[in-house]
Amino acid sequence: MRKYRGSSKLLLQPRTTNEVSQILKYCNSRLLAVVPQGGNTGLVGGSVPVFDEVIINMGSMNNLITFDKGSGVLVCEAGCILENLVSFVDDHGFIMPLDLGAKGSCQIGGNVSTNAGGLRLVRYGSLHGNILGLEAVLANGDVIDMLGTLRKDNTGYDLKHLFIGSEGSLGIVTKVSIHTPPKLSSVNLAFLACKDYFSCQKLLREAKRKLGEILSAFEFLDNQSMDLVLTYLEGVRNPFSSSMHNFYVLIETTGSEESYDREKLEAFLLSSMEGGLISDGVIAQDINQASSFWRIREGIAEALMKAGAVYKYDLSLPVEKMYDLVEKMRQRLGETAKVIGYGHLGDGNLHLNISAPRYDDMIFAQIEPYVYEWTSEHRGSISAEHGLGLMKANKIFYSKSPKTVQLMSSIKKLLDPNGILNPYKVLPHSLSSH
Ligand code: FAD
Ligand code: 2HG
Ligand code: ZN
């Protein structure tokens, strides 16, 4: 992101859980801080060494361990790249329950540690539901085996959840057991244009009711996002002849009955068109056209990086209020920066991005703390899916009560009393234990 710069004298690439354990045991005894690193695609600076932390890069722990073709339960090492897992389970007729633009580089251990959301959460739910078990190594080198493969297990506290989304601050995830759903035969993707944000919102409500069980993604982007992609990414074409649309929505359906699913989607689109919710629309005719539609949505982050400096906010907000913030930011910033809004509308997750030629304190002062205050006032979350990392460790109080943060800090002290695991991240500096 050209924003987080770290330095380190040492990068270690353990190949086994035992090596991770020995590294942590040694570092803990010598009070050496470490930063766990997956595919380095995180957007909040979580995998960056801040001063001189030892980097523990998980890329060499990339073995598949078992795959149960009956239940679809996959057990693998944390360093497996998501896209490789996608291909592996695809060969057996399954899909991964999460999908994100960074799939070619991000690792399943990084996904678990950030509790990544992505494009399919609306259908398959969060990793808190899909991860069945974990193996993690604590700061003192203890290996905690929670690598269950069962859907149900109520034997006391379900501690694996502590590691899902804790961004390497409580332990290093070394193995993962994940439930993969069967791959269904019929997938349809529609790229739709809407005249205003209200129509996108209403379309979502209707889609949840009328597409119900086959709805597998509901994403939106505004015309500034589309412009950016068309300007900065090579080979991307606008699927519509007119460039006058204000908003775009991508709706994917996934089901098992091709003609039924297609009919259902077409009937839904027709009624939405008649009701004035959609002004134009295209259904992908084949897999290539579907990929070209996804390229537009998934390419926004890349286009933003190419456009210059970018201030990123990943917010959970009530769907009705979400776009008000984008408009408020445009009023505040005027011509000084481009404000773009897109995201996982089906999950109430806005990606507010502010793009400027270069990082600038005056622009920054117009953005923060306003964005966080506004989000907090509307009872939103300042991190929907990317985590807190370095960027938002000190902002946690906008979304969590002091007592909750205190309890988090007590858990951190219990598991990592010397504060060697990913310091300066997640928890505010005032509560860090070192
Ligand atoms: P890293 O960036 O290497 O690390 C992330 C955090 O996890 C760090 O705090 C690190 O210390 C910790 N960590 C990594 N591995 C381990 C481990 N084995 N044990 C303990 N801690 C560990 N995110 C979404 O949620 N949804 C999206 O749709 C999405 N799309 C993206 C699209 C693009 C183009 C890009 C660049 C990023 C996107 N992201 C998205 C953000 C990012 O890809 C995710 O957060 C991803 O889960 C990070 O995985 P990683 O392996 O790259 O982790
Ligand atoms: C996405 O959904 C990612 O594309 C990146 O989460 C979001 O760039 C962003 O702000
Ligand atoms: Zn996202």
Side-chain angles (χ1 to χ4, degrees):
M1 295 176 68
R2 298 187 298 274
K3 183 171 165 191
Y4 301 106
R5 284 170 211 284
S7 61
S8 178
K9 293 196 181 83
L10 183 63
L11 178 145
L12 299 170
Q13 292 192 294
R15 281 158 306 189
T16 62
T17 300
N18 187 35
E19 286 184 2
V20 175
S21 165
Q22 287 178 43
I23 292 168
L24 287 180
K25 203 168 170 183
Y26 178 83
C27 289
N28 195 44
S29 70
R30 303 290 296 265
L31 302 181
L32 295 170
V34 303
V35 54
Q37 200 169 76
N40 242 326
T41 67
L43 298 170
V44 289
S47 61
V48 176
V50 180
F51 292 108
D52 57 356
E53 295 91 294
V54 173
I55 299 171
I56 303 182
N57 181 290
M58 297 302 287
S60 298
M61 285 189 68
N62 58 2
N63 292 305
L64 295 164
I65 302 170
T66 57
F67 183 65
D68 183 327
K69 292 176 195 145
S71 63
V73 177
L74 170 72
V75 182
C76 65
E77 289 182 330
C80 291
I81 290 177
L82 180 58
E83 197 160 59
N84 296 342
L85 298 178
V86 170
S87 313
F88 173 81
V89 299
D90 183 79
D91 289 345
H92 294 92
F94 289 83
I95 60 163
M96 291 300 283
L98 80 160
D99 183 21
L100 46 148
K103 55 184 157 281
S105 308
C106 66
Q107 300 173 4
I108 193 71
N111 300 148
V112 167
S113 304
T114 54
N115 187 23
L119 307 161
R120 284 196 185 132
L121 190 137
V122 72
R123 171 71 167 265
Y124 299 108
S126 95
L127 287 177
H128 281 289
N130 293 306
I131 295 294
L132 303 179
L134 288 180
E135 177 187 82
V137 184
L138 301 185
N140 64 5
D142 281 358
V143 178
I144 311 295
D145 177 357
M146 304 165 281
L147 201 58
T149 53
L150 306 170
R151 288 302 290 271
K152 298 179 83 173
D153 175 14
N154 274 356
T155 48
Y157 310 145
D158 199 346
L159 295 178
K160 67 172 181 283
H161 291 293
L162 278 179
F163 297 88
I164 303 175
S166 59
E167 303 177 65
S169 63
L170 298 180
I172 296 195
V173 174
T174 43
K175 293 191 183 111
V176 169
S177 153
I178 183 164
H179 176 253
T180 72
K183 183 179 179 187
L184 302 181
S185 56
S186 113
V187 180
N188 285 300
L189 183 64
F191 207 126
L192 310 170
C194 300
K195 63 177 181 312
D196 52 26
Y197 180 69
F198 183 72
S199 305
C200 302
Q201 239 187 83
K202 216 156 162 230
L203 195 66
L204 171 62
R205 232 180 298 147
E206 295 285 301
K208 285 197 168 164
R209 278 181 188 283
K210 294 191 178 154
L211 296 173
E213 79 290 354
I214 60 168
L215 182 66
S216 53
F218 195 107
E219 297 287 316
F220 94 110
L221 49 142
D222 59 14
N223 66 355
Q224 289 86 336
S225 311
M226 177 68 101
D227 269 0
L228 209 78
V229 169
L230 296 176
T231 311
Y232 288 98
L233 299 190
E234 267 173 45
V236 176
R237 277 188 343 107
N238 188 341
F240 301 99
S241 42
S242 155
S243 57
M244 298 306 290
H245 302 296
N246 292 325
F247 290 88
Y248 300 91
V249 165
L250 271 160
I251 295 184
E252 187 194 65
T253 62
T254 305
S256 54
E257 185 60 60
E258 209 154 312
S259 54
Y260 167 85
D261 294 353
R262 187 81 179 201
E263 245 171 60
K264 206 168 170 169
L265 178 63
E266 281 172 357
F268 168 72
L269 296 181
L270 190 65
S271 73
S272 306
M273 197 82 97
E274 283 168 359
L277 296 184
I278 305 173
S279 15
D280 204 350
V282 202
I283 299 184
Q285 293 307 307
D286 54 35
I287 196 157
N288 292 332
Q289 198 175 14
S291 316
S292 70
F293 290 178
W294 278 124
R295 173 74 181 130
I296 296 174
R297 166 62 187 85
E298 294 184 78
I300 304 172
E302 188 186 333
L304 279 159
M305 312 269 186
K306 291 190 172 159
V310 56
Y311 301 90
K312 280 189 176 297
Y313 298 89
D314 158 43
L315 311 165
S316 263
L317 284 165
V319 171
E320 320 78 67
K321 293 270 180 279
M322 197 186 261
Y323 206 73
D324 291 355
L325 179 59
V326 179
E327 283 164 349
K328 284 251 154 39
M329 291 316 297
R330 283 195 185 123
Q331 283 162 17
R332 287 175 72 83
L333 288 159
E335 296 296 303
T336 56
K338 277 194 198 127
V339 180
I340 77 158
Y342 69 103
H344 314 288
L345 195 66
D347 314 317
N349 181 181
L350 171 70
H351 291 314
L352 167 73
N353 277 260
I354 293 159
S355 168
R358 64 198 66 79
Y359 290 109
D360 177 328
D361 289 348
M362 303 268 275
I363 292 177
F364 188 62
Q366 287 302 311
I367 306 174
E368 292 191 22
Y370 183 83
V371 165
Y372 295 132
E373 285 168 359
W374 198 95
T375 302
S376 182
E377 270 162 33
H378 292 86
R379 298 193 64 79
S381 169
I382 62 158
S383 173
E385 59 170 11
H386 295 162
L388 294 165
L390 183 62
M391 177 185 176
K392 290 180 268 188
N394 285 324
K395 315 288 180 206
I396 193 170
F397 294 105
Y398 285 107
S399 291
K400 288 234 174 351
S401 71
K403 287 219 160 112
T404 310
V405 178
Q406 196 60 55
L407 185 57
M408 284 172 67
S409 160
S410 308
I411 293 170
K412 165 82 175 166
K413 283 193 177 117
L414 179 72
L415 299 187
D416 177 21
N418 296 324
I420 65 157
L421 282 167
N422 221 359
Y424 328 107
K425 322 282 172 62
V426 187
L427 284 163
H429 300 174
S430 56
L431 288 174
S432 294
S433 54
H434 68 284

